[in-house]
């Protein structure tokens, strides 16, 4: 599917597909945001399981409909991540890599680069993480200006790095004030959302899980990633109309993820394309 085929209508259809499929997402994610991530998946229309021990993670990757590997609070050893990614690859389960800290933390950056060998359906991160991960693969990135899990780079500046990462993934997204979703066909820009997303822990991590859920429900990975980002931006717009502070926004955001309809997506989606 070309970026021009990613329209408000196809994004609305993707939301319908997600809720019809109600995919189970196996999230090997960080302990800071695991609960919020599960709630986001449930609110959006999917379901969640967090199986992160070495003996079961690979097996469960073949049971679930999609897999997320999030490196926010990595285990001391890399075994569980390799086992999970390998299990997903062997089972044909779409999986998503969220390379948190890859722009500035060497051990987890190297781990994220190693995991690319298992060919994720998508890579989702902030701009600094995408630039940093690309640099670790030798694709010309110079290292993102990340501060912990935060980004100091503009998502537009991450597009060349994202294009390089398409050697390993079907689509790559860099989130920020304007989200950029890159696939072999081009780039889709998604605007909207609220600055309050940056004041609630777990919104980025849960976006990675939602990307995985959409990858299970929508065959075209570029559309799937764009649909996840659009679901989030529309829900955040709705939530910001109801709440003005982080605590109330978090609750309103979960409600909006649940309430957003295909018609809401048709009316509110704001997308642009680069060929």
């Amino acid at each position: 599917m070309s970026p021009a085929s990613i329209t408000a209508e196809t994004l609305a259809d993707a939301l319908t597909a997600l809720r019809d499929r109600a995919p189970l997402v196996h999230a090997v994610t960080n302990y800071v945001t695991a609960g919020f991530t599960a709630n986001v998946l449930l609110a959006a229309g999917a379901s969640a399981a967090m199986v992160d021990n070495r003996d079961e993670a690979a097996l469960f990757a073949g049971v679930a409909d999609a897999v997320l590997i999030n490196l926010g609070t990595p285990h001391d050893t890399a075994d569980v991540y390799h086992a999970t990614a390998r299990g997903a690859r062997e089972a044909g389960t779409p999986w998503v890599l969220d390379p948190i800290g890859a722009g500035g933390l060497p051990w987890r950056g190297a781990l994220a680069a190693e995991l690319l060998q298992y060919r994720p359906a998508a890579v989702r991160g902030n701009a600094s993480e995408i630039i940093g991960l690309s640099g670790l693969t030798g694709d010309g990135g110079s290292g993102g200006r990340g501060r912990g899990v935060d980004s100091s780079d503009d998502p537009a500046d991450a597009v060349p790095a994202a294009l390089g990462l398409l050697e390993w993934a079907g689509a790559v997204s860099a989130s920020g004030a304007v989200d950029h979703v890159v696939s072999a066909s081009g780039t889709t820009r998604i605007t909207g959302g609220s600055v309050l997303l940056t004041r609630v822990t777990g919104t980025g991590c849960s976006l990675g899980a939602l990307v995985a859920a959409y990858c299970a429900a929508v065959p075209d990975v570029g559309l799937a990633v764009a649909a996840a980002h659009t679901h989030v931006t529309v829900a955040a717009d709705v939530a910001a109309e109801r709440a003005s502070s982080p605590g109330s926004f978090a609750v309103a955001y979960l409600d909006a993820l649940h309430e957003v309809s295909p018609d809401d997506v048709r009316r509110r989606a704001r997308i642009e394309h680069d060929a």
Side-chain angles (χ1 to χ4, degrees), residues 66-87:
V67 170
L68 167 70
I69 295 179
N70 174 300
L71 299 179
T73 53
H75 295 264
D76 289 339
T77 66
D79 293 3
V80 66
Y81 303 106
H82 281 279
T84 303
R86 185 184 304 111

Side-chain angles (χ1 to χ4, degrees), residues 8-273:
E9 188 64 35
T10 59
L11 292 167
D13 289 344
L15 174 56
T16 298
L18 174 78
R19 290 178 173 158
D20 287 346
R21 178 72 183 274
L24 172 61
V25 178
H26 169 205
V28 181
T29 191
N30 75 77
Y31 60 76
V32 175
T33 65
F36 189 79
T37 294
N39 284 334
V40 164
L41 287 169
L42 289 168
S47 59
M50 277 71 175
V51 181
D52 64 355
N53 69 75
R54 183 176 54 191
D55 295 325
E56 296 177 340
L59 175 65
F60 206 79
V63 173
D65 297 307
V67 170
L68 167 70
I69 295 179
N70 174 300
L71 299 179
T73 53
H75 295 264
D76 289 339
T77 66
D79 293 3
V80 66
Y81 303 106
H82 281 279
T84 303
R86 185 184 304 111
R89 175 72 173 171
E90 292 174 352
T93 304
W95 73 278
V96 173
L97 176 63
D98 194 335
I100 292 181
L105 295 167
W107 184 85
R108 75 177 71 191
L111 172 58
E114 291 170 3
L115 292 174
L116 291 173
Q117 68 181 294
Y118 304 109
R119 305 290 175 174
V123 177
R124 189 229 72 89
N126 64 40
S128 296
E129 290 158 352
I130 297 303
I131 293 169
L133 179 59
S134 179
L136 292 168
T137 66
D139 288 320
S142 58
R145 295 174 293 165
R147 186 186 66 177
V149 299
D150 297 325
S151 178
S152 301
D153 291 287
D154 189 308
D157 296 333
V159 169
L163 287 168
L165 290 172
L166 292 180
E167 180 179 347
W168 287 275
V172 179
S173 65
S175 57
V178 178
D179 296 343
H180 286 61
V181 177
V182 178
S183 69
S185 301
T187 301
T188 299
R189 298 187 302 279
I190 301 161
T191 59
S194 167
V195 69
L196 286 171
L197 284 168
T198 67
R199 298 293 181 261
V200 176
T201 190
T203 54
C205 295
S206 58
L207 172 56
L210 196 57
V211 168
Y214 271 97
C215 284
V218 178
D220 183 86
V221 67
L223 174 60
V225 178
H229 280 260
T230 300
H231 195 160
V232 163
T233 56
V234 171
D237 283 341
V238 171
E241 293 169 359
R242 303 173 178 174
S244 59
S245 300
S248 55
F249 175 83
V251 175
Y253 176 60
L254 289 175
D255 288 345
L257 286 167
H258 173 73
E259 295 166 2
V260 164
S261 69
D263 282 342
D264 291 324
V265 171
R266 291 185 184 95
R267 289 187 296 105
R268 288 178 173 262
R270 288 182 276 171
I271 53 175
E272 298 177 341
H273 305 294

